[in-house]
Amino acid sequence: MHINWYPGHMKKTKELIQENLKLVDVVIELLDARIPMSSRNPQIDELVERKPRVVALNKSDLADPQITRKWVNYFAAQGINAVPVNSMTGEGLDKMIALVEEAAKEKMDALINKGMRKRAVRSMIVGIPNVGKSSIINRLTGKKSAKTGDKPGVTKGKQWVRLRGNIELLDTPGILWPKFENQQVGLKLAFTGAIKDEILDIETIALHLVAYLVREYTNQIKERYKLSEIFLDNLENLERIAKNRGCIFSGGRIDYSRAANLILDEFRSGKIGKITLEKPEDYISTIKA
């Protein structure tokens, strides 16, 4: 299946980032810890150019912790500091702030050496829709400075907010990209909710997710859905899940839509287990654990 989604406001966001980058000392790139590579907008490297950058791996509580550690090492090998964070509990955010201050130190010292007054570190947070930017801002400010929602596209415009410490942050709406070169990227974004469910074939998306979970997290899916065995036909696996969870119409017909939404909801909420959909080894073979 082919997934493409590039609403007009995302084009405006790209322009917004380009226009305001000169005001920023450090860029915070917010990624989904379950899909760190697929949730990276390939345009961001071009947009932020040589600005110092900190990667925050959000929703780390939902991701496989062993694989998250590998991703931290992956980014470190590229000279980028990465930190797992949880926007719901605030875990990891103090370290993220410390890394932002560290990344800006050279710039701040240079300003002081020129005789200028010390000012707040200016940062910009960028990321795809529904990755948790607004939740992190609210956690850092201790108040609802940014709108939040469980669907992509809630943040609409530009706003500066003061974070704890001496940091100001420019929030930007989520930005996807015009075309997914690899449709597997589109599927992973659909699995995690970065693309609106309303424009997707949910039943097909759920079937692809079941196929991945059966292959990579067999024990977790068997335990969650009380599967005594795994079938080679993933449609049969999905139907067995539907029957075990009561997703049945009168007369015994499978309610595929209800089963699909159940599986996606339980994956996204972590009820199936701590699951990561891609590994650094998929992109580089010599990464150290």
Side-chain angles (χ1 to χ4, degrees):
M1 65 185 301
H2 294 280
I3 300 172
N4 283 298
W5 187 49
Y6 196 54
H9 81 269
M10 292 186 179
K11 180 177 183 294
K12 294 178 182 177
T13 299
K14 180 180 176 181
E15 295 168 353
L16 179 72
I17 292 172
Q18 291 172 319
E19 291 169 5
N20 291 280
L21 196 62
K22 59 182 179 292
L23 305 175
V24 171
D25 306 311
V26 181
V27 173
I28 301 171
E29 184 180 8
L30 192 59
L31 306 178
D32 188 321
R34 298 165 297 178
I35 51 169
M37 194 58 67
S38 293
S39 60
R40 290 193 93 189
N41 187 331
Q43 294 176 335
I44 293 299
D45 285 337
E46 177 186 347
L47 287 171
V48 303
E49 299 174 333
R50 296 183 181 181
K51 290 282 183 181
R53 194 184 328 182
V54 172
V55 165
L57 297 167
N58 194 29
K59 306 187 182 183
S60 60
D61 56 310
L62 302 175
D64 187 323
Q66 292 183 340
I67 300 178
T68 298
R69 284 192 289 273
K70 290 184 177 183
W71 278 113
V72 170
N73 291 338
Y74 173 89
F75 287 111
Q78 300 179 55
I80 300 174
N81 284 320
V83 55
V85 301
N86 180 346
S87 61
M88 304 308 294
T89 65
E91 184 177 359
L93 294 185
D94 285 340
K95 184 174 181 180
M96 185 190 81
I97 289 296
L99 289 175
V100 170
E101 292 173 336
E102 180 183 324
K105 187 176 186 305
E106 184 177 343
K107 173 73 173 290
M108 296 298 102
D109 288 347
L111 291 177
I112 292 172
N113 289 337
K114 290 179 180 178
M116 301 176 67
R117 264 191 325 183
K118 185 175 181 180
R119 61 163 173 78
V121 174
R122 296 169 185 159
S123 61
M124 174 186 288
I125 189 165
V126 296
I128 66 170
N130 209 29
V131 76
K133 296 184 302 300
S134 297
S135 296
I136 281 183
I137 293 170
N138 293 340
R139 173 67 61 171
L140 288 171
T141 58
K143 58 185 178 180
K144 291 193 175 181
S145 302
K147 294 180 180 178
T148 60
D150 59 3
K151 292 186 178 182
V154 172
T155 309
K156 297 296 185 184
K158 179 178 72 173
Q159 55 183 337
W160 284 94
V161 292
R162 171 76 68 166
L163 305 184
R164 60 173 176 253
N166 194 32
I167 296 178
E168 292 178 349
L169 186 141
L170 174 64
D171 181 30
T172 60
I175 176 172
L176 279 174
W177 47 102
K179 181 181 178 182
F180 303 128
E181 298 292 337
N182 183 341
Q183 281 301 305
Q184 288 300 312
V185 171
L187 280 173
K188 292 171 188 175
L189 292 168
F191 293 159
T192 56
I195 301 174
K196 292 180 179 180
D197 286 344
E198 291 82 355
I199 69 169
L200 299 171
D201 178 350
I202 289 298
E203 295 171 19
T204 301
I205 294 296
L207 186 61
H208 282 286
L209 178 58
V210 167
Y212 180 85
L213 296 176
V214 163
R215 185 175 69 250
E216 301 291 340
Y217 290 91
T218 310
N219 292 336
Q220 287 91 328
I221 195 169
K222 285 179 69 175
E223 182 177 348
R224 180 65 188 173
Y225 297 112
K226 306 295 188 267
L227 302 176
S228 57
E229 59 181 318
I230 295 295
F231 298 96
L232 292 177
D233 184 348
N234 284 299
L235 180 58
E236 195 166 354
N237 290 320
L238 189 149
E239 289 175 347
R240 186 60 60 91
I241 291 170
K243 291 175 181 176
N244 288 355
R245 294 299 291 271
C247 300
I248 306 293
F249 289 118
S250 60
R253 291 181 299 111
I254 301 291
D255 186 341
Y256 290 102
S257 178
R258 184 178 167 198
N261 281 289
L262 171 77
I263 292 166
L264 285 168
D265 288 345
E266 294 198 344
F267 162 72
R268 292 169 183 171
S269 63
K271 291 179 180 177
I272 299 175
K274 294 182 182 295
I275 293 168
T276 298
L277 300 175
E278 55 192 14
K279 307 169 187 176
E281 298 95 306
D282 300 335
Y283 300 90
I284 183 169
S285 59
T286 58
I287 192 75
K288 293 183 178 180

